[in-house]
Amino acid sequence: MIFKAAGDRRPYPDHGLDSPRDWAHLAPRMIRLDELVTTKSTLDLETLLTTDSTFFGDIFAHVVGWQGTLYLEDGLHRALRAALQQRPVLHARLLVLD
């Protein structure tokens, strides 16, 4: 199993962090893939295979902690690339809303 669960929505309230610049104040940390619940249920294979998918965005995934669960808000393709490379962790910025 790669993720704790696969979801298709964001169950937590809006946090107001919309751009990579908004997330920049959160220091990246290592988060285990098997602790994450995805917020997207579809995958774009072309995005997964591209080498420069983070060229214009944040190089770190965005994770939201809500009611004891970690939700992968942005970085699904990065997380899957990590899993394909047999890495159990992902560098991500974590915002805790609890």
Side-chain angles (χ1 to χ4, degrees):
M1 176 185 292
I2 297 173
F3 300 112
K4 180 178 180 179
D8 61 355
R9 63 183 182 85
R10 298 175 182 174
Y12 47 86
D14 184 22
H15 47 66
L17 302 181
D18 299 319
S19 72
R21 174 175 263 161
D22 295 336
W23 284 84
H25 73 281
L26 299 167
R29 62 174 62 185
M30 305 262 291
I31 298 178
R32 292 186 52 84
L33 296 176
D34 61 3
E35 295 177 349
L36 296 173
V37 175
T38 68
T39 59
K40 298 175 186 168
S41 61
T42 58
L43 175 69
D44 178 14
L45 188 57
E46 186 174 317
T47 303
L48 177 66
L49 299 175
T50 188
T51 58
D52 63 348
S53 64
T54 59
F55 185 74
F56 293 106
D58 195 344
I59 63 170
F60 301 107
H62 298 163
V63 175
V64 176
W66 170 249
Q67 297 181 341
T69 302
L70 297 178
Y71 294 95
L72 180 60
E73 179 173 298
D74 180 53
L76 177 61
H77 296 90
R78 281 168 273 185
L80 285 172
R81 278 195 294 276
L84 289 171
Q85 294 170 356
Q86 298 182 355
R87 290 184 286 135
V89 294
L90 176 69
H91 284 90
R93 299 183 190 275
L94 175 62
L95 174 66
V96 178
L97 296 178
D98 295 335

